[in-house]
Amino acid sequence: MPTIQGALGPGFQIVILYLLLSNAGHANDFSYLRENDANGNVWEIRLATASPPLNQIHSWYISAFNSEGHPLTDLTLSISGGMRAHGHGLPTTPKVSAEISPGIYQVDGIKFQMWGEWQVQSELTDQHGNTVGNHEFEFILAP
Amino acid sequence: MACATCHIPEHYFTDGRPLPIVATNTSLSELPTRHTPTVVGAALHRWQFWDGRAESLWAQALGPLENPLEHNSDRLAIVRYVLNEYRLSYLQAFPNSESTLPKLERLPEHGSPLSHVAEYQTNWRQLSGEQRSEINHVFANIGKALAAYQAKILPDESRFDRFVDGLNLPTDNQSLSYLDLHEQAGLKLFISEQTGCIQCHNGPLFSNSDFQATLSSAEIIPEREGRVAGIALAHADPFNCRGIYSDAPDSCDELDFAKVNGIELQAAFKVPGLRNVAKTAPYMHDGGFASLSEVLRYYNQAPMHGFSHNELQPLRLQPYQLKQLESFLVALNSELITDAYWLTPPTPPSQGDNS
């Protein structure tokens, strides 16, 4: 007779372990992320939940600051994303509802419908359509 | 034709056929192309129909009533039938609506904006805006009543649920006996990275309520069928979440944010739940596979069919592993949790509350 751990544990552990080992540098569980892009801008994500929920539409708060700490403000933020390994995008079309304070943009309508590795691209453009900054967040959504 | 003509309680609210029977009085020569899904747990899905053309169960319930291949009725005839035969029940369910009921005696027998009968369309066009609105309100309420009933049809606990509950409750020494070793091995495969089953079949119903191109049918035009068509229809539906008949027009995130284009929407159909899946053969959106083992064999090989977008990867499982996976799926069987009262046919209206 296998133990309780022996019955179900290995299955789940294999999934979790695989996800951890396959991309150890990325967050699995987050309500806050802070990363630098290649140009020294600082990008942050804040969530209202402990981690992005599966199968639920929710909001992200994306902040962007330049290398001197000044907010990248009065710009247009665009969001896209998907699972590169699966060849599909987000199941929704997120919309930026407001710049709620200088350099902090509220993005509504984000949803993830699968466990696994997701990429979310953020781009800030000025009124002429010129790119001021862009960054790709990559993370694992895990059970 | 009744809802139960295809959603047969003894067949777990499916019809057991690859494709449904056609209304006997239809004048159309075309045939249905979509397999009858179960009603059990349907209320918990975010989108309805294989292509998600309805984003509520009540909006879904209205579609088959006017579909010439299904009930082949029309809006005015349906509203007339309900208000003539079930007026008291209707007013009890929708109080304070009496003053806005359509004046049936001043209306033609038949009429619908969707009817394939030209005369019925003409009848509808000749109605005033107020008359159409009154009829639509009752029609929408009929959908809401049908949805309220269907929301009661839910699956009970399966052996899998008792197994999981037992694992979370160390004092339950019986937990491991709920699934035999064969089924436990199937469960491990189900949640493994190799099969990826839980990528789409996740959550309480084992469905993420999203849409996936399984490419199991070559008889399809990807640019025109599946989610790509369904989301356009959902937005155009006057009975959608944003419409004037909606009870929650300010809570429409799924509709508002749904992706409306993208190659992954082509030929993509709703991920079905897996509870009691062993009782709902045949399978897939077109009923193309007769058994679970056929479905699993298909996913094990995952042929390309030449479509440009394909997310399926061959599972590469051994035959014994496919059997383990199938035995796990059978362990998701359960009875309904629904009270027997709701599963007993009602008294015919002539003996009921006819008024």
Side-chain angles (χ1 to χ4, degrees):
Chain A
M1 179 71 81
T3 64
I4 289 175
Q5 287 76 15
L8 188 60
F12 284 117
Q13 285 165 10
I14 287 167
V15 173
I16 302 299
L17 194 63
Y18 177 89
L19 292 172
L20 289 172
L21 294 178
S22 64
N23 220 320
H26 297 121
N28 292 292
D29 216 16
F30 66 90
S31 59
Y32 173 74
L33 276 184
R34 179 186 172 96
E35 295 179 0
N36 288 47
D37 69 19
N39 297 318
N41 298 317
V42 177
W43 295 77
E44 295 173 324
I45 296 174
R46 285 180 178 81
L47 303 183
T49 50
S51 60
L54 185 74
N55 293 334
Q56 287 178 34
I57 289 178
H58 61 286
S59 300
W60 280 19
Y61 299 90
I62 297 182
S63 317
F65 303 87
N66 66 17
S67 56
E68 295 165 349
H70 299 299
L72 299 178
T73 187
D74 291 329
L75 300 167
T76 300
L77 176 68
S78 55
I79 293 288
S80 59
M83 300 182 91
R84 197 168 288 132
H86 290 247
H88 66 72
L90 294 170
T92 54
T93 306
K95 293 167 187 162
V96 179
S97 57
E99 184 178 356
I100 56 173
S101 62
I104 302 178
Y105 301 82
Q106 178 175 336
V107 184
D108 297 325
I110 292 183
K111 183 178 173 181
F112 307 105
Q113 84 278 36
M114 292 184 184
W115 303 118
E117 188 175 74
W118 287 87
Q119 295 81 30
V120 173
Q121 295 87 25
S122 306
E123 183 177 32
L124 284 165
T125 51
D126 64 18
Q127 57 187 335
H128 306 295
N130 299 316
T131 300
V132 176
N134 57 61
H135 184 59
E136 177 178 285
F137 294 97
E138 189 168 77
F139 58 94
I140 308 280
L141 199 65
Chain B
M1 180 177 281
C3 301
T5 303
C6 294
H7 298 290
I8 305 166
E10 293 77 12
H11 285 280
Y12 198 65
F13 289 84
T14 65
D15 58 4
R17 305 161 55 93
L19 296 170
I21 60 169
V22 179
T24 53
N25 61 345
T26 187
S27 59
L28 296 188
S29 57
E30 61 189 89
L31 295 171
T33 56
R34 297 289 172 260
H35 175 60
T36 303
T38 183
V39 168
V40 181
L44 303 177
H45 280 285
R46 289 193 176 85
W47 296 93
Q48 307 294 336
F49 290 114
W50 281 104
D51 59 8
R53 66 182 61 188
E55 37 73 83
S56 73
L57 196 53
W58 70 266
Q60 182 281 330
L62 302 175
L65 298 177
E66 294 195 288
N67 187 325
L69 294 176
E70 298 183 59
H71 295 251
N72 193 28
S73 190
D74 64 272
R75 199 163 302 181
L76 204 38
I78 293 161
V79 166
R80 185 181 294 283
Y81 174 76
V82 169
L83 292 183
N84 282 341
E85 304 290 345
Y86 298 97
R87 178 176 289 262
L88 278 182
S89 298
Y90 179 88
L91 290 174
Q92 283 168 356
F94 303 101
N96 307 319
S97 64
E98 187 156 21
S99 62
T100 58
L101 291 182
K103 312 292 183 291
L104 292 174
E105 64 278 7
R106 299 179 197 168
L107 299 172
E109 287 293 316
H110 300 279
S112 169
L114 303 180
S115 178
H116 65 293
V117 180
E119 178 194 344
Y120 298 177
Q121 283 211 28
T122 302
N123 287 349
W124 184 261
R125 280 197 300 272
Q126 290 176 344
L127 298 175
S128 69
E130 185 181 3
Q131 286 173 318
R132 289 183 209 164
S133 176
E134 287 173 348
I135 294 163
N136 279 344
H137 268 289
V138 177
F139 190 52
N141 283 344
I142 292 169
K144 290 171 188 177
L146 288 167
Y149 168 65
Q150 293 176 81
K152 292 185 172 297
I153 307 175
L154 297 168
D156 204 347
E157 272 190 343
S158 67
R159 286 191 291 114
F160 163 75
D161 297 300
R162 290 195 281 274
F163 179 81
V164 172
D165 286 347
L167 292 182
N168 292 324
L169 192 70
T171 54
D172 183 356
N173 297 323
Q174 300 294 314
S175 64
L176 292 176
S177 67
Y178 294 128
L179 296 184
D180 67 27
L181 292 178
H182 205 57
E183 293 161 340
Q184 290 180 32
L187 167 58
K188 288 175 186 172
L189 286 168
F190 187 82
I191 62 175
S192 71
E193 187 74 15
Q194 180 183 359
T195 69
C197 299
I198 58 167
Q199 292 286 343
C200 296
H201 293 288
N202 57 48
L205 290 179
F206 294 84
S207 166
N208 60 3
S209 276
D210 205 68
F211 301 86
Q212 194 74 27
T214 60
L215 314 179
S216 63
S217 170
E219 307 292 322
I220 203 165
I221 305 168
E223 297 81 6
R224 289 193 221 153
E225 294 184 69
R227 182 57 171 162
V228 68
I231 187 57
L233 290 168
H235 274 290
D237 186 358
F239 298 105
N240 70 19
C241 183
R242 285 283 182 201
I244 60 171
Y245 311 104
S246 170
D247 295 321
D250 298 323
S251 304
C252 302
D253 280 359
E254 288 287 343
L255 184 67
D256 291 347
F257 293 112
K259 181 174 279 188
V260 296
N261 50 46
I263 195 166
E264 64 266 54
L265 306 186
Q266 296 182 4
F269 295 98
K270 194 168 82 170
V271 175
L274 296 181
R275 290 187 178 273
N276 285 290
V277 67
K279 299 180 183 178
T280 63
Y283 300 103
M284 316 303 270
H285 63 278
D286 60 354
F289 294 138
S291 65
L292 274 180
S293 58
E294 272 188 42
V295 176
L296 292 174
R297 258 203 313 276
Y298 173 77
Y299 283 128
N300 208 35
Q301 296 164 355
M304 290 289 288
H305 285 315
F307 288 120
S308 53
H309 178 73
N310 179 19
E311 293 178 38
L312 292 186
Q313 298 290 333
L315 303 185
R316 303 188 197 289
L317 296 178
Q318 298 297 317
Y320 79 93
Q321 293 175 304
L322 291 176
K323 287 182 179 169
Q324 290 172 336
L325 206 45
E326 185 175 345
S327 69
F328 166 67
L329 294 175
V330 174
L332 299 177
N333 280 357
S334 72
E335 300 300 316
L336 297 182
I337 201 168
T338 311
D339 189 284
Y341 171 80
W342 299 105
L343 302 173
T344 308
T347 309
S350 58
Q351 301 165 36
D353 66 351
N354 189 7
S355 60

